[in-house]
Amino acid sequence: MKRNRQGARARGLGPFAAGLGLVLLAACGPEGPGAAPKPAGRAEAPPAVAPARAEAPATVEEARAFFEAVNADLKRLYSNRETLGFISMTYITDDTERMSAQGEEAVMAYLQGAIERAKRFEGVQLPPELARMHLLLRLAATVPAPAAPAERAELAQLIASMSGDYGKAKYCPKGGGKCKDLGELSATLKKSRKYDELAEAWTGWHDAAAPLKPKFTRYVELGNRGAKALGFRDLGEYWRAGYDMPPDAFAGDVERLWTQVKPLYDELHCYVRGQLQKAYGKGKVPDGAPIPAHLFGNMWAQEWGEIYPLVEPYPGQGSLDVTASLKRQKYDAVKMVKLAERFFTSLGMDPLPETFWKRSLFTKPRDREVVCHASAWDVTYNDDLRIKMCIEPDEENLITLHHELGHNYYYHYYYQLPVLFQSGANDGFHEGIGDTLALSVTPSYLKNAGLLEALPPANEKAVINQQLKLALDKVAFLPFGKVIDQWRWGVFSGSITPQNYNASWWALRRKYQGVTPPGARSEEHFDPGAKYHVPGNTPYLRYFLARIYQFQFHRALCRAAGHQGPLHTCSIYGNKEAGQKLIGMLRLGASRPWPEALAALSGERQGDAGALLEYFEPLRGWLREKNQGARCGWGE
């Protein structure tokens, strides 16, 4: 997903996805709501705040006019920013990077001034709608700007350049040979089963992130200054404030959710390690130790689905070779997207606008560098829906397309709200919607879509195979989804310093994920920077939350659809009642605190991993039995 404020996509998402993107400087001047735009050029600092007016206290009517102007100004600013943001990611050049930095600075300047002027309404008894706008304006920037104009300009340039550096990074073997980008190195990790070849690909990409460390260190310094200017201890506290609860309470709530799911992750880790030992030997994958991170088929060991053939419990049982079917039926990128769209329209949702098909990037161009990391956009905040993705005809890309279109449909159903409300109830909601629908991509749905000729036999072995394959994505991801921001919170607070960035990174990954690098890593390296969202200025807890919420959403929609039977057998495909329930929540955007949005869908007001555990109940029992006698754990 590509968006300002809270939302950013994942498997989707990008540097501007959660943060401040790009904007033409002429779009709106930094003076404040309703001010005439200045000519293009360097953004100016907001004017000094005038002394408090003694003659008249602030009124609700004044606040209403203020926020009406803010929403109008932000729509112009954000629309221009997203336009240049889309260009910058699909045409990576020094020119687009420079425009990106200028745009960052302009948005920062505007928000800085608007937030300062909004302080006039503190203490005024505002109606709920205006009070929420007041809160969301304060939290509108992923990184609030420092007060000094020169530092604001520097921060904007850092954000743009880190994204550009990441998109252009390559691994060039020392002994010569073709330089390889992330896509090529990731393909090696997916396909190879040679331990040393995997280690080289993993190490090559992670080494390429080292030059980002000085820029990231300075970004942290400047981002913290901006957060402190708004009254927060640091940037991490500022990020945690966006969840309708005190920042420290949110951190505790994340721990509560992790505690719920940790036993299932531990069982999965134990089983997978045993199977990898059969492939690589106990010398490479020892008992009671973390698993080398390059053996999971994924550059960051965040999802393990690519190694399913190595860990499949019952070979061939209930096999759903979707990739083979897609290739056999000659699916191209557009046909893949139309297949994913058909799921949404089956629920009674609108077709994607014609402009979506004309303006999206579906395949990697041959003539230029682009950021292939999938993202979803509403470029003008007016139903200008797009995706940016280098689509391949395989099962992983099909699931990713459901994820990205989930963002697009969220945009579609709230785009008529004021811009400050054009976001998910919280960022985890935005990331979870498309993945919720992907849970309904069951064998019966695949047969209906023509990707299976016949349903596989419904037996216990087939169920375990299917559940394990999904758990390698959904469950394996959970600790990684937690660790990225847990590391950054420590960086922002100062408990993790540049002198121990890498050591702290691997300590957390060992503790929570049970993984270790394939070789020695030192502080000369910057392994967190090998993950796009770190240099890309995108908070990451949203993805952890989304993995929890999507099962909660799924359970609620299955109930609305009248499903009877185990949760993992439910598909809401074609059910208009479930579709209307979902649309009702999407239309709220960020206009209500997220517990209210959750209650509108499910009747529940708290995140709960119980639905995830219910979904995977067959696998949980099987793993406990299978791991009996094994030496589980890794000495956390």
PDB file of all heavy atoms in Angstrom, residues 67-96:
ATOM      1  N   PHE A  67     -10.308  23.219   9.987  1.00  0.00           N
ATOM      2  CA  PHE A  67     -10.100  21.853   9.511  1.00  0.00           C
ATOM      3  C   PHE A  67     -10.673  21.645   8.110  1.00  0.00           C
ATOM      4  O   PHE A  67     -10.162  20.814   7.349  1.00  0.00           O
ATOM      5  CB  PHE A  67     -10.690  20.849  10.510  1.00  0.00           C
ATOM      6  CG  PHE A  67      -9.820  20.658  11.716  1.00  0.00           C
ATOM      7  CD1 PHE A  67     -10.197  21.145  12.954  1.00  0.00           C
ATOM      8  CD2 PHE A  67      -8.596  20.021  11.617  1.00  0.00           C
ATOM      9  CE1 PHE A  67      -9.388  20.997  14.071  1.00  0.00           C
ATOM     10  CE2 PHE A  67      -7.773  19.857  12.717  1.00  0.00           C
ATOM     11  CZ  PHE A  67      -8.167  20.347  13.953  1.00  0.00           C
ATOM     12  N   GLU A  68     -11.681  22.399   7.749  1.00  0.00           N
ATOM     13  CA  GLU A  68     -12.152  22.331   6.372  1.00  0.00           C
ATOM     14  C   GLU A  68     -11.056  22.800   5.417  1.00  0.00           C
ATOM     15  O   GLU A  68     -10.807  22.181   4.372  1.00  0.00           O
ATOM     16  CB  GLU A  68     -13.404  23.199   6.208  1.00  0.00           C
ATOM     17  CG  GLU A  68     -14.000  23.145   4.811  1.00  0.00           C
ATOM     18  CD  GLU A  68     -15.265  23.965   4.674  1.00  0.00           C
ATOM     19  OE1 GLU A  68     -15.831  24.382   5.712  1.00  0.00           O
ATOM     20  OE2 GLU A  68     -15.688  24.197   3.528  1.00  0.00           O
ATOM     21  N   ALA A  69     -10.374  23.868   5.794  1.00  0.00           N
ATOM     22  CA  ALA A  69      -9.276  24.367   4.960  1.00  0.00           C
ATOM     23  C   ALA A  69      -8.104  23.408   4.955  1.00  0.00           C
ATOM     24  O   ALA A  69      -7.473  23.177   3.911  1.00  0.00           O
ATOM     25  CB  ALA A  69      -8.839  25.745   5.452  1.00  0.00           C
ATOM     26  N   VAL A  70      -7.779  22.837   6.124  1.00  0.00           N
ATOM     27  CA  VAL A  70      -6.679  21.871   6.205  1.00  0.00           C
ATOM     28  C   VAL A  70      -6.942  20.685   5.286  1.00  0.00           C
ATOM     29  O   VAL A  70      -6.058  20.236   4.541  1.00  0.00           O
ATOM     30  CB  VAL A  70      -6.477  21.401   7.661  1.00  0.00           C
ATOM     31  CG1 VAL A  70      -5.612  20.139   7.705  1.00  0.00           C
ATOM     32  CG2 VAL A  70      -5.806  22.501   8.482  1.00  0.00           C
ATOM     33  N   ASN A  71      -8.147  20.149   5.319  1.00  0.00           N
ATOM     34  CA  ASN A  71      -8.458  18.996   4.469  1.00  0.00           C
ATOM     35  C   ASN A  71      -8.340  19.342   2.997  1.00  0.00           C
ATOM     36  O   ASN A  71      -7.849  18.539   2.196  1.00  0.00           O
ATOM     37  CB  ASN A  71      -9.864  18.480   4.787  1.00  0.00           C
ATOM     38  CG  ASN A  71      -9.891  17.559   5.993  1.00  0.00           C
ATOM     39  OD1 ASN A  71      -9.318  16.475   5.975  1.00  0.00           O
ATOM     40  ND2 ASN A  71     -10.553  17.997   7.057  1.00  0.00           N
ATOM     41  N   ALA A  72      -8.773  20.544   2.624  1.00  0.00           N
ATOM     42  CA  ALA A  72      -8.649  20.954   1.222  1.00  0.00           C
ATOM     43  C   ALA A  72      -7.188  21.116   0.826  1.00  0.00           C
ATOM     44  O   ALA A  72      -6.756  20.663  -0.248  1.00  0.00           O
ATOM     45  CB  ALA A  72      -9.411  22.259   0.999  1.00  0.00           C
ATOM     46  N   ASP A  73      -6.400  21.755   1.703  1.00  0.00           N
ATOM     47  CA  ASP A  73      -4.978  21.942   1.404  1.00  0.00           C
ATOM     48  C   ASP A  73      -4.252  20.601   1.309  1.00  0.00           C
ATOM     49  O   ASP A  73      -3.446  20.373   0.408  1.00  0.00           O
ATOM     50  CB  ASP A  73      -4.323  22.798   2.485  1.00  0.00           C
ATOM     51  CG  ASP A  73      -4.753  24.261   2.419  1.00  0.00           C
ATOM     52  OD1 ASP A  73      -5.324  24.665   1.389  1.00  0.00           O
ATOM     53  OD2 ASP A  73      -4.507  24.993   3.398  1.00  0.00           O
ATOM     54  N   LEU A  74      -4.533  19.714   2.266  1.00  0.00           N
ATOM     55  CA  LEU A  74      -3.845  18.430   2.268  1.00  0.00           C
ATOM     56  C   LEU A  74      -4.211  17.599   1.045  1.00  0.00           C
ATOM     57  O   LEU A  74      -3.370  16.852   0.527  1.00  0.00           O
ATOM     58  CB  LEU A  74      -4.171  17.662   3.547  1.00  0.00           C
ATOM     59  CG  LEU A  74      -3.503  18.178   4.820  1.00  0.00           C
ATOM     60  CD1 LEU A  74      -3.949  17.346   6.025  1.00  0.00           C
ATOM     61  CD2 LEU A  74      -1.985  18.156   4.706  1.00  0.00           C
ATOM     62  N   LYS A  75      -5.437  17.711   0.586  1.00  0.00           N
ATOM     63  CA  LYS A  75      -5.796  16.945  -0.612  1.00  0.00           C
ATOM     64  C   LYS A  75      -4.965  17.403  -1.804  1.00  0.00           C
ATOM     65  O   LYS A  75      -4.492  16.582  -2.600  1.00  0.00           O
ATOM     66  CB  LYS A  75      -7.284  17.089  -0.912  1.00  0.00           C
ATOM     67  CG  LYS A  75      -7.743  16.180  -2.049  1.00  0.00           C
ATOM     68  CD  LYS A  75      -9.249  16.090  -2.133  1.00  0.00           C
ATOM     69  CE  LYS A  75      -9.665  15.070  -3.188  1.00  0.00           C
ATOM     70  NZ  LYS A  75     -11.125  14.862  -3.213  1.00  0.00           N
ATOM     71  N   ARG A  76      -4.747  18.717  -1.945  1.00  0.00           N
ATOM     72  CA  ARG A  76      -3.898  19.201  -3.033  1.00  0.00           C
ATOM     73  C   ARG A  76      -2.462  18.731  -2.843  1.00  0.00           C
ATOM     74  O   ARG A  76      -1.818  18.251  -3.781  1.00  0.00           O
ATOM     75  CB  ARG A  76      -3.944  20.736  -3.089  1.00  0.00           C
ATOM     76  CG  ARG A  76      -5.264  21.297  -3.570  1.00  0.00           C
ATOM     77  CD  ARG A  76      -5.125  22.765  -3.956  1.00  0.00           C
ATOM     78  NE  ARG A  76      -4.698  23.606  -2.846  1.00  0.00           N
ATOM     79  CZ  ARG A  76      -5.518  24.188  -1.981  1.00  0.00           C
ATOM     80  NH1 ARG A  76      -6.826  23.977  -2.079  1.00  0.00           N
ATOM     81  NH2 ARG A  76      -5.048  24.964  -1.025  1.00  0.00           N
ATOM     82  N   LEU A  77      -1.957  18.897  -1.628  1.00  0.00           N
ATOM     83  CA  LEU A  77      -0.576  18.504  -1.359  1.00  0.00           C
ATOM     84  C   LEU A  77      -0.358  17.018  -1.551  1.00  0.00           C
ATOM     85  O   LEU A  77       0.586  16.581  -2.223  1.00  0.00           O
ATOM     86  CB  LEU A  77      -0.211  18.889   0.080  1.00  0.00           C
ATOM     87  CG  LEU A  77       0.104  20.357   0.328  1.00  0.00           C
ATOM     88  CD1 LEU A  77       0.008  20.660   1.826  1.00  0.00           C
ATOM     89  CD2 LEU A  77       1.480  20.697  -0.185  1.00  0.00           C
ATOM     90  N   TYR A  78      -1.218  16.217  -0.959  1.00  0.00           N
ATOM     91  CA  TYR A  78      -1.049  14.768  -1.048  1.00  0.00           C
ATOM     92  C   TYR A  78      -1.223  14.271  -2.482  1.00  0.00           C
ATOM     93  O   TYR A  78      -0.518  13.363  -2.920  1.00  0.00           O
ATOM     94  CB  TYR A  78      -2.054  14.067  -0.141  1.00  0.00           C
ATOM     95  CG  TYR A  78      -1.791  14.183   1.344  1.00  0.00           C
ATOM     96  CD1 TYR A  78      -2.787  13.840   2.257  1.00  0.00           C
ATOM     97  CD2 TYR A  78      -0.574  14.621   1.843  1.00  0.00           C
ATOM     98  CE1 TYR A  78      -2.570  13.923   3.620  1.00  0.00           C
ATOM     99  CE2 TYR A  78      -0.343  14.715   3.202  1.00  0.00           C
ATOM    100  CZ  TYR A  78      -1.347  14.365   4.092  1.00  0.00           C
ATOM    101  OH  TYR A  78      -1.131  14.443   5.437  1.00  0.00           O
ATOM    102  N   SER A  79      -2.146  14.861  -3.224  1.00  0.00           N
ATOM    103  CA  SER A  79      -2.357  14.417  -4.605  1.00  0.00           C
ATOM    104  C   SER A  79      -1.112  14.651  -5.449  1.00  0.00           C
ATOM    105  O   SER A  79      -0.692  13.776  -6.224  1.00  0.00           O
ATOM    106  CB  SER A  79      -3.548  15.154  -5.213  1.00  0.00           C
ATOM    107  OG  SER A  79      -4.738  14.829  -4.533  1.00  0.00           O
ATOM    108  N   ASN A  80      -0.520  15.823  -5.311  1.00  0.00           N
ATOM    109  CA  ASN A  80       0.705  16.094  -6.056  1.00  0.00           C
ATOM    110  C   ASN A  80       1.859  15.236  -5.565  1.00  0.00           C
ATOM    111  O   ASN A  80       2.677  14.752  -6.354  1.00  0.00           O
ATOM    112  CB  ASN A  80       1.051  17.577  -5.956  1.00  0.00           C
ATOM    113  CG  ASN A  80       0.176  18.416  -6.867  1.00  0.00           C
ATOM    114  OD1 ASN A  80       0.315  18.384  -8.080  1.00  0.00           O
ATOM    115  ND2 ASN A  80      -0.758  19.146  -6.279  1.00  0.00           N
ATOM    116  N   ARG A  81       1.918  15.036  -4.260  1.00  0.00           N
ATOM    117  CA  ARG A  81       2.952  14.173  -3.701  1.00  0.00           C
ATOM    118  C   ARG A  81       2.859  12.769  -4.256  1.00  0.00           C
ATOM    119  O   ARG A  81       3.858  12.159  -4.657  1.00  0.00           O
ATOM    120  CB  ARG A  81       2.806  14.126  -2.176  1.00  0.00           C
ATOM    121  CG  ARG A  81       3.789  13.188  -1.504  1.00  0.00           C
ATOM    122  CD  ARG A  81       3.285  12.764  -0.127  1.00  0.00           C
ATOM    123  NE  ARG A  81       2.117  11.922  -0.263  1.00  0.00           N
ATOM    124  CZ  ARG A  81       1.255  11.660   0.728  1.00  0.00           C
ATOM    125  NH1 ARG A  81       1.427  12.227   1.898  1.00  0.00           N
ATOM    126  NH2 ARG A  81       0.230  10.882   0.534  1.00  0.00           N
ATOM    127  N   GLU A  82       1.649  12.210  -4.284  1.00  0.00           N
ATOM    128  CA  GLU A  82       1.492  10.841  -4.765  1.00  0.00           C
ATOM    129  C   GLU A  82       1.801  10.737  -6.256  1.00  0.00           C
ATOM    130  O   GLU A  82       2.349   9.731  -6.705  1.00  0.00           O
ATOM    131  CB  GLU A  82       0.071  10.360  -4.487  1.00  0.00           C
ATOM    132  CG  GLU A  82      -0.306  10.314  -3.013  1.00  0.00           C
ATOM    133  CD  GLU A  82       0.525   9.324  -2.241  1.00  0.00           C
ATOM    134  OE1 GLU A  82       0.385   8.109  -2.470  1.00  0.00           O
ATOM    135  OE2 GLU A  82       1.320   9.767  -1.404  1.00  0.00           O
ATOM    136  N   THR A  83       1.461  11.756  -7.003  1.00  0.00           N
ATOM    137  CA  THR A  83       1.784  11.752  -8.434  1.00  0.00           C
ATOM    138  C   THR A  83       3.285  11.627  -8.641  1.00  0.00           C
ATOM    139  O   THR A  83       3.765  10.771  -9.404  1.00  0.00           O
ATOM    140  CB  THR A  83       1.263  13.036  -9.106  1.00  0.00           C
ATOM    141  OG1 THR A  83      -0.154  13.103  -8.961  1.00  0.00           O
ATOM    142  CG2 THR A  83       1.628  13.053 -10.584  1.00  0.00           C
ATOM    143  N   LEU A  84       4.044  12.481  -7.964  1.00  0.00           N
ATOM    144  CA  LEU A  84       5.495  12.401  -8.093  1.00  0.00           C
ATOM    145  C   LEU A  84       6.045  11.155  -7.423  1.00  0.00           C
ATOM    146  O   LEU A  84       7.060  10.602  -7.860  1.00  0.00           O
ATOM    147  CB  LEU A  84       6.142  13.658  -7.504  1.00  0.00           C
ATOM    148  CG  LEU A  84       6.006  14.908  -8.369  1.00  0.00           C
ATOM    149  CD1 LEU A  84       6.596  16.115  -7.659  1.00  0.00           C
ATOM    150  CD2 LEU A  84       6.680  14.707  -9.709  1.00  0.00           C
ATOM    151  N   GLY A  85       5.387  10.712  -6.365  1.00  0.00           N
ATOM    152  CA  GLY A  85       5.821   9.480  -5.715  1.00  0.00           C
ATOM    153  C   GLY A  85       5.727   8.293  -6.648  1.00  0.00           C
ATOM    154  O   GLY A  85       6.630   7.461  -6.715  1.00  0.00           O
ATOM    155  N   PHE A  86       4.629   8.196  -7.379  1.00  0.00           N
ATOM    156  CA  PHE A  86       4.470   7.102  -8.328  1.00  0.00           C
ATOM    157  C   PHE A  86       5.529   7.178  -9.418  1.00  0.00           C
ATOM    158  O   PHE A  86       6.125   6.168  -9.806  1.00  0.00           O
ATOM    159  CB  PHE A  86       3.069   7.147  -8.931  1.00  0.00           C
ATOM    160  CG  PHE A  86       2.676   5.900  -9.654  1.00  0.00           C
ATOM    161  CD1 PHE A  86       2.172   4.814  -8.967  1.00  0.00           C
ATOM    162  CD2 PHE A  86       2.824   5.796 -11.039  1.00  0.00           C
ATOM    163  CE1 PHE A  86       1.820   3.651  -9.639  1.00  0.00           C
ATOM    164  CE2 PHE A  86       2.470   4.644 -11.717  1.00  0.00           C
ATOM    165  CZ  PHE A  86       1.963   3.563 -11.015  1.00  0.00           C
ATOM    166  N   ILE A  87       5.790   8.380  -9.899  1.00  0.00           N
ATOM    167  CA  ILE A  87       6.820   8.557 -10.923  1.00  0.00           C
ATOM    168  C   ILE A  87       8.189   8.165 -10.383  1.00  0.00           C
ATOM    169  O   ILE A  87       8.965   7.473 -11.045  1.00  0.00           O
ATOM    170  CB  ILE A  87       6.837  10.014 -11.421  1.00  0.00           C
ATOM    171  CG1 ILE A  87       5.552  10.331 -12.189  1.00  0.00           C
ATOM    172  CG2 ILE A  87       8.055  10.276 -12.309  1.00  0.00           C
ATOM    173  CD1 ILE A  87       5.377  11.793 -12.515  1.00  0.00           C
ATOM    174  N   SER A  88       8.484   8.595  -9.153  1.00  0.00           N
ATOM    175  CA  SER A  88       9.816   8.347  -8.602  1.00  0.00           C
ATOM    176  C   SER A  88      10.101   6.862  -8.429  1.00  0.00           C
ATOM    177  O   SER A  88      11.250   6.439  -8.495  1.00  0.00           O
ATOM    178  CB  SER A  88       9.981   9.069  -7.262  1.00  0.00           C
ATOM    179  OG  SER A  88       9.269   8.420  -6.235  1.00  0.00           O
ATOM    180  N   MET A  89       9.067   6.068  -8.196  1.00  0.00           N
ATOM    181  CA  MET A  89       9.275   4.635  -8.006  1.00  0.00           C
ATOM    182  C   MET A  89       9.233   3.854  -9.304  1.00  0.00           C
ATOM    183  O   MET A  89       9.709   2.725  -9.363  1.00  0.00           O
ATOM    184  CB  MET A  89       8.222   4.088  -7.040  1.00  0.00           C
ATOM    185  CG  MET A  89       8.385   4.596  -5.631  1.00  0.00           C
ATOM    186  SD  MET A  89       7.303   3.714  -4.498  1.00  0.00           S
ATOM    187  CE  MET A  89       7.636   4.642  -3.006  1.00  0.00           C
ATOM    188  N   THR A  90       8.664   4.462 -10.334  1.00  0.00           N
ATOM    189  CA  THR A  90       8.606   3.769 -11.621  1.00  0.00           C
ATOM    190  C   THR A  90       9.603   4.330 -12.635  1.00  0.00           C
ATOM    191  O   THR A  90       9.741   3.784 -13.734  1.00  0.00           O
ATOM    192  CB  THR A  90       7.181   3.839 -12.199  1.00  0.00           C
ATOM    193  OG1 THR A  90       6.767   5.212 -12.296  1.00  0.00           O
ATOM    194  CG2 THR A  90       6.203   3.098 -11.312  1.00  0.00           C
ATOM    195  N   TYR A  91      10.292   5.413 -12.259  1.00  0.00           N
ATOM    196  CA  TYR A  91      11.389   5.989 -13.051  1.00  0.00           C
ATOM    197  C   TYR A  91      12.449   6.465 -12.049  1.00  0.00           C
ATOM    198  O   TYR A  91      12.432   7.629 -11.648  1.00  0.00           O
ATOM    199  CB  TYR A  91      10.923   7.175 -13.899  1.00  0.00           C
ATOM    200  CG  TYR A  91      10.004   6.819 -15.035  1.00  0.00           C
ATOM    201  CD1 TYR A  91       8.638   6.695 -14.808  1.00  0.00           C
ATOM    202  CD2 TYR A  91      10.496   6.618 -16.323  1.00  0.00           C
ATOM    203  CE1 TYR A  91       7.775   6.370 -15.848  1.00  0.00           C
ATOM    204  CE2 TYR A  91       9.639   6.298 -17.368  1.00  0.00           C
ATOM    205  CZ  TYR A  91       8.275   6.171 -17.120  1.00  0.00           C
ATOM    206  OH  TYR A  91       7.430   5.850 -18.141  1.00  0.00           O
ATOM    207  N   ILE A  92      13.332   5.573 -11.644  1.00  0.00           N
ATOM    208  CA  ILE A  92      14.329   5.924 -10.642  1.00  0.00           C
ATOM    209  C   ILE A  92      15.478   6.664 -11.315  1.00  0.00           C
ATOM    210  O   ILE A  92      16.277   6.073 -12.051  1.00  0.00           O
ATOM    211  CB  ILE A  92      14.868   4.672  -9.914  1.00  0.00           C
ATOM    212  CG1 ILE A  92      13.723   3.919  -9.224  1.00  0.00           C
ATOM    213  CG2 ILE A  92      15.924   5.061  -8.882  1.00  0.00           C
ATOM    214  CD1 ILE A  92      14.168   2.616  -8.563  1.00  0.00           C
ATOM    215  N   THR A  93      15.546   7.981 -11.096  1.00  0.00           N
ATOM    216  CA  THR A  93      16.629   8.797 -11.638  1.00  0.00           C
ATOM    217  C   THR A  93      17.029   9.827 -10.593  1.00  0.00           C
ATOM    218  O   THR A  93      16.320  10.041  -9.598  1.00  0.00           O
ATOM    219  CB  THR A  93      16.201   9.543 -12.911  1.00  0.00           C
ATOM    220  OG1 THR A  93      15.237  10.557 -12.561  1.00  0.00           O
ATOM    221  CG2 THR A  93      15.591   8.602 -13.948  1.00  0.00           C
ATOM    222  N   ASP A  94      18.135  10.485 -10.816  1.00  0.00           N
ATOM    223  CA  ASP A  94      18.543  11.562  -9.917  1.00  0.00           C
ATOM    224  C   ASP A  94      17.508  12.687  -9.918  1.00  0.00           C
ATOM    225  O   ASP A  94      17.260  13.321  -8.885  1.00  0.00           O
ATOM    226  CB  ASP A  94      19.911  12.115 -10.337  1.00  0.00           C
ATOM    227  CG  ASP A  94      21.036  11.109 -10.117  1.00  0.00           C
ATOM    228  OD1 ASP A  94      20.830  10.162  -9.329  1.00  0.00           O
ATOM    229  OD2 ASP A  94      22.104  11.275 -10.731  1.00  0.00           O
ATOM    230  N   ASP A  95      16.893  12.938 -11.062  1.00  0.00           N
ATOM    231  CA  ASP A  95      15.899  14.007 -11.144  1.00  0.00           C
ATOM    232  C   ASP A  95      14.670  13.694 -10.306  1.00  0.00           C
ATOM    233  O   ASP A  95      14.166  14.554  -9.573  1.00  0.00           O
ATOM    234  CB  ASP A  95      15.484  14.239 -12.600  1.00  0.00           C
ATOM    235  CG  ASP A  95      16.585  14.880 -13.433  1.00  0.00           C
ATOM    236  OD1 ASP A  95      17.473  15.516 -12.828  1.00  0.00           O
ATOM    237  OD2 ASP A  95      16.559  14.747 -14.667  1.00  0.00           O
ATOM    238  N   THR A  96      14.151  12.475 -10.433  1.00  0.00           N
ATOM    239  CA  THR A  96      12.951  12.149  -9.654  1.00  0.00           C
ATOM    240  C   THR A  96      13.267  12.087  -8.167  1.00  0.00           C
ATOM    241  O   THR A  96      12.431  12.428  -7.338  1.00  0.00           O
ATOM    242  CB  THR A  96      12.331  10.826 -10.117  1.00  0.00           C
ATOM    243  OG1 THR A  96      13.291   9.768  -9.996  1.00  0.00           O
ATOM    244  CG2 THR A  96      11.867  10.922 -11.565  1.00  0.00           C
TER     245      THR A  96
END
